[in-house]
Amino acid sequence: DSYWIAVADCTGHGVPGAMVSVLCVNAMNQTCFETDITETGKFLDSVKEKVVKTLTKESRSVKDGMDISLCKYHPETNTLEWSGANNPLWILREDEVIILTPDKQPIGFYEDSKAFSTQKFICQKKDLIVLFSDGYADQFGGPKNKKFKYATLKTLLQEHKDLSMIQLHELLKTTFE
């Protein structure tokens, strides 16, 4: 058995952004339920193909798409299979942050498109696996109305990685607010 986990963020705002979100979710569902693809990179390739095919039917050029971090976890071997479209994956292990680097392309039309890579990683018992979009780090706020930024997020997570997930969620929520 394995578990699939994804964190995705569609570009675009308002109605166009909502339409791209629906299109991407439908493409993911089709790939999940209508194919026998089991590798994360090939899964993203299939989703991208479906999204691009649908978007190119539009009369206008659509530049919107989806960024995603997709992993498949095998508990019996502690193996994590992962692919990313613009969004990385962080693994917090003791005092280090291991970063799995994504392919620098979206799910959607991209001029220099290539097949998505699949990375494999052996997890250890106390590893904290972090999947995210750019939403948290890109938020403006605080006394100087500055972006939160990835470095701040990474430091916050490193300092509190031993909290329970409920406590960590509350800390992220409180810090954000």
Side-chain angles (χ1 to χ4, degrees), residues 4 12 24 34 42 44 87 131 138 146 154 157 163 173:
W4 290 75
C24 290
E34 297 173 11
K42 291 186 185 336
L44 292 186
N87 289 347
L131 291 85
D138 282 353
K146 299 275 186 182
K154 191 186 300 182
L157 292 171
L163 293 176
K173 190 171 151 187

Side-chain angles (χ1 to χ4, degrees), residues 20-39:
V20 171
S21 294
V22 169
L23 171 64
C24 290
V25 167
N26 286 341
M28 290 177 70
N29 282 332
Q30 279 183 314
T31 300
C32 185
F33 298 115
E34 297 173 11
T35 72
D36 58 357
I37 295 172
T38 60
E39 184 183 308

